[in-house]
Amino acid sequence: MQQAVNQSRRNLFRGRINRVGGIRPPWSLPENKFLDTCVRCNDCIDACETNLLKKGDGGYPIADFSQAECTFCEACVKSCSPKALLKTDSQQKPWNITATINDRCLAKNKVHCRTCGEQCEVEAITFRLAPGGVALPNLDTDLCNGCGACVSSCPVSAVAMKLSTEQP
Ligand code: SF4
Ligand code: SF4
Ligand code: SF4
């Protein structure tokens, strides 16, 4: 019975991930293993120096980029005793997410703005002059590390984070 309840909760949560794009903390296990391993203790949320991590559906942690970014400090990973967050080698990427810029972007609407690019330490967002004199942002997803610094900086909420590959 408990197994059925757990499965139902997992299915519900998976559905919500797909609908609203909830993103797990960096270095999370693949989703099914994450849900089996995370004990919803909040230790990663408390450890996060930028308050990026929040309680999501079912009490499981998610990354909320609306007001914060990830500095990749690894405090969350170190705080996770059950190892639902696990970094096994120094080259392991924290996650498969990248920024995306939608059509609300001021520059795409012919208003000068380079705010997101100014936040990007790895220079994944560059600007190219377009006909009409306003430079348009170009996002290099290979360079983007998914820190999310560009998201809250956008004055018209045109930047969001998305999974660059489907979560397992
Ligand atoms: S790596 Fe640091 S900043 Fe990023 S989510 Fe973990 S604790 Fe927060
Ligand atoms: S510290 Fe680990 S077990 Fe606790 S809520 Fe965060 S991911 Fe889950
Ligand atoms: S998420 Fe970070 S690395 Fe990616 S474009 Fe935005 S600021 Fe740059």
Side-chain angles (χ1 to χ4, degrees):
M1 182 61 183
Q2 184 63 31
Q3 201 174 0
V5 170
N6 285 344
Q7 190 58 45
S8 142
R9 188 190 295 136
R10 279 175 203 145
N11 288 341
L12 179 66
F13 195 65
R14 278 199 192 108
R16 287 193 177 167
I17 284 174
N18 292 336
R19 277 209 300 281
V20 302
I23 291 164
R24 294 292 180 215
W27 295 286
S28 289
L29 295 177
E31 183 64 9
N32 56 348
K33 287 190 188 150
F34 176 85
L35 292 174
D36 281 342
T37 310
C38 174
V39 296
R40 292 174 278 179
C41 64
N42 291 348
D43 285 353
C44 57
I45 296 171
D46 294 340
C48 181
E49 64 178 17
T50 64
N51 294 323
L52 171 73
L53 302 184
K54 302 269 160 61
K55 230 179 206 320
D57 282 348
Y60 295 96
I62 55 165
D64 175 2
F65 293 95
S66 61
Q67 293 175 346
E69 67 190 91
C70 183
T71 58
F72 306 112
C73 68
E74 301 181 22
C76 52
V77 180
K78 289 171 189 148
S79 77
C80 183
S81 306
K83 301 200 183 308
L85 313 180
L86 184 63
K87 186 176 179 185
T88 50
D89 74 79
S90 60
Q91 300 303 310
Q92 188 184 336
K93 283 176 64 179
W95 40 29
N96 287 318
I97 59 172
T98 55
T100 178
I101 302 174
N102 69 29
D103 288 343
R104 282 199 299 273
C105 166
L106 290 173
K108 290 184 185 180
N109 290 283
K110 304 193 188 315
V111 177
H112 178 79
C113 179
R114 295 191 181 211
T115 308
C116 57
E118 287 160 6
Q119 303 303 315
C120 185
E121 284 185 7
V122 297
E123 299 181 357
I125 303 175
T126 53
F127 285 81
R128 273 196 218 125
L129 211 55
V134 176
L136 294 175
N138 180 61
L139 203 154
D140 184 335
T141 52
D142 288 334
L143 283 178
C144 174
N145 61 20
C147 73
C150 50
V151 174
S152 61
S153 75
C154 177
V156 291
S157 303
V159 190
M161 302 307 296
K162 69 174 174 90
L163 295 170
S164 52
T165 55
E166 199 60 40
Q167 279 191 344

